[in-house]
């Protein structure tokens, strides 16, 4: 191991679901303490903390310190929509790469159970009694529902439909079959919020949210946290053989935003930044998509999973439908995608997701994934995207020991 | 006739209602919202440009579950109007997958959405099918 390589020494995710008796800080503390224990280190070893939480009151990093150890190290509270967890991880990695410290802790946590629809409304106040233009569109009333939709299910539905318009082959049933795969995968994941297999009929007949996404094709709001301890190759060499064996190499850590595209002002472009992140990550890691043993990608909606097969270059450009229809992305296929159950069944506690996806990959690379283990997994990729937009891609490699 | 105000400032009312975009003088990028500088080339000179009132549906969704106060169902779409992507609702069409389809040709229409305490009428826009769905039937 090279001295300046970055390694995940310890990592953990809490059970995703409803945690009535745990608050945001409890969940973050649970994941952080478990990640430290998993790595065989304590807060005394941590030189930097990066923490993310979107729905709480702010300052989650310092709140967490007060519960698990106030050592005076710098805290970076980060916020990057659904890419917040990946951003926290990347922030800790950057601090280490900059030589400021040799070990960092990244945490993401969210309490979302029962939160309902995200992205829409917000400004649900009734329209004014006298029309008064406001905002950058000079709008005299709320535009959500009058000029398209601001809510996530509809935005991502259009993302999938646009792909279908460009390349053909999509249908309501095709998108539903992607959800069928993920719900099937979730039955093997005890930490998933929902672990119930669903038939294609059940998925298609579920409550329609935004065609073609029914409720079971949307990510599940839930509570959860995830945390990771990262360090350098130089530091890892000083640790035990067991710690070295279980450590997972961060072969690539990339964060991108969306470059300007003609249509991005009317429909967020989730494609270009993902493709850019993937390209950079494959180059950094020196691996190609064909060398991946498993992928956890941001299936916030069934319609989103399809386009990311293409964006992450798991298939030929325009070939996502054929790729899915080949069975490749089922857990027994040649490129298992979202064997955790994905956001649709594992759940999507927003700021935790970007680290939880990395945890899933690490779990397989360490050979610790139990019933859902992808045998012999050596390399995996974790992807998240937050609208706005931010995309995080991490490529992880099994320790050679 | 009642005084009217557009829902958004890029909707131009009058004899032939249409949308306008701020076009970057340097690179041609178009924006519906107010911009401090061009996101594409960082230039800061914009001119008003008329956007075609007919186009083709490039993406759509039928929203059946929305934030409180937003009436459902409605069809949200991205329409390619002569190379400018426009976000709008599709109107005068049954909001179901048998009647709305990708590639559908549509045109801009305007309609009132309410009157304020001063008697001013707010006018919104949407896009309707160019060819009424003849086989749509039912109803
Ligand atoms: Zn420009």
């Amino acid at each position: 191991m090279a001295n300046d390589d970055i390694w995940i020494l310890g990592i953990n995710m809490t059970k995703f679901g409803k945690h009535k008796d745990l608050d945001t800080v409890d969940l973050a503390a649970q994941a952080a303490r478990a990640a430290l224990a998993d790595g065989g280190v304590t807060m005394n070893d941590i030189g930097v903390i990066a923490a993310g939480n979107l729905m709480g009151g702010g300052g989650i990093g310092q709140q967490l310190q007060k519960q698990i150890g106030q050592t005076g190290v710098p805290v970076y509270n980060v916020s990057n929509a659904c890419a917040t967890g990946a951003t926290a991880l990347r922030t800790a990695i950057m601090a280490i790469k900059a030589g400021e410290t040799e070990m960092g802790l990244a945490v993401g946590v969210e309490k979302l159970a029962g939160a309902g629809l995200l992205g829409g409304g917000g400004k649900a106040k009734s329209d004014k009694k006298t029309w008064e233009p406001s905002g950058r569109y000079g709008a005299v009333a709320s535009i959500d529902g009058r000029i398209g939709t601001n809510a996530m299910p509809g935005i991502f539905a259009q993302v999938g439909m646009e792909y279908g318009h460009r390349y053909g082959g999509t249908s309501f049933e095709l998108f539903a079959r992607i959800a069928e795969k993920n719900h099937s995968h979730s039955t093997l994941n005890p930490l998933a919020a929902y672990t119930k297999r669903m038939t294609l009929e059940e998925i298609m007949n579920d409550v329609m949210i935004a065609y073609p996404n029914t409720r079971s094709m949307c990510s599940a709001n839930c509570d959860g946290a995830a945390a990771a301890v990262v360090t350098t190759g130089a530091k890892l060499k000083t640790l035990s053989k067991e710690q070295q064996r279980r450590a997972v190499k961060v072969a690539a850590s990339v964060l991108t935003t969306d470059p300007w595209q003609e249509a991005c002002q009317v429909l967020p472009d989730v494609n270009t930044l993902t493709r850019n992140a993937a390209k950079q990550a494959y180059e950094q890691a020196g691996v190609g998509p064909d060398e991946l043993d498993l992928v956890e990608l941001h299936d916030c909606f069934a319609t989103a999973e399809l386009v990311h097969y293409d964006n992450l270059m798991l298939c030929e450009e325009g070939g996502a439908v054929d790729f899915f229809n080949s069975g490749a992305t089922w857990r027994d296929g040649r490129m298992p995608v979202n064997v955790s159950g994905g956001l649709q069944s594992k759940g999507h506690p927003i700021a935790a997701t970007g680290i939880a996806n990395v945890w899933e990959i690490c779990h397989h690379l360490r050979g610790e994934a139990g019933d859902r283990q992808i045998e012999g997994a050596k390399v995996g990729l974790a992807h998240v995207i937050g609208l706005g937009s931010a995309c995080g891609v991490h490529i992880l490699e099994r320790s050679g020991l | 006739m009642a005084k009217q105000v557009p829902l958004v400032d890029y909707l131009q009312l009058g004899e032939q209602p249409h949308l306008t975009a701020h076009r970057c003088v340097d690179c041609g990028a178009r924006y519906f919202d107010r911009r401090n500088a061009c996101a594409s080339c960082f230039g800061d000179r914009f001119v008003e440009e008329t956007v075609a009132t007919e186009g083709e549906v490039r993406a759509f969704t039928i929203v059946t579950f929305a934030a409180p106060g937003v009436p459902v169902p409605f069809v949200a779409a991205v329409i390619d109007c002569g190379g400018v992507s426009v976000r709008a609702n599709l109107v005068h069409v049954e909001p179901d997958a048998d009647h709305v389809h990708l590639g559908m040709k549509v045109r801009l229409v305007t309609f009132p959405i309410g009157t304020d305490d001063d008697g001013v009428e707010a006018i919104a826009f949407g896009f309707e099918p160019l060819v009424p769905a003849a086989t749509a039937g039912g109803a």
Side-chain angles (χ1 to χ4, degrees), chain A residues 63 91-92 148 158 162 164 181 202 207 210 243 261-262 293 331 352 366 386 401:
Chain A
Q63 293 181 58
T91 301
Q158 291 176 84
E162 185 181 42
K181 167 184 72 77
E202 284 173 320
V207 179
Q243 283 165 307
Q261 296 282 306
E262 188 279 321
D293 296 303
R331 54 171 290 111
R366 289 163 155 187
L401 291 178

Side-chain angles (χ1 to χ4, degrees), chain A residues 121 129-131 136-137 139-140 145 147-150 154 157-158 161-162 165 208-211 260 262-263 265-266, chain B residues 7 9 29-34 36 40 56 58 60-62 64-65 67 83 85 87 89 97 114 116-117 120 122:
Chain A
K129 291 240 174 83
T130 53
W131 307 117
R136 286 184 175 249
Y137 291 111
V140 300
I147 303 178
T149 178
N150 288 348
Q158 291 176 84
M161 296 294 274
E162 185 181 42
H165 183 48
M208 183 60 76
I209 304 293
Y211 179 90
W260 183 84
E262 188 279 321
Q265 64 156 342
V266 296
Chain B
L7 171 58
D9 60 16
R30 296 143 174 128
Y31 304 95
F32 289 119
D33 57 341
R34 179 172 61 80
N36 299 77
S40 171
E56 180 183 302
R58 211 177 63 221
F60 74 88
T61 180
I62 303 158
T64 39
F65 190 86
S85 295
R87 173 181 146 155
N89 285 8
D116 71 7
D117 292 347
V120 179

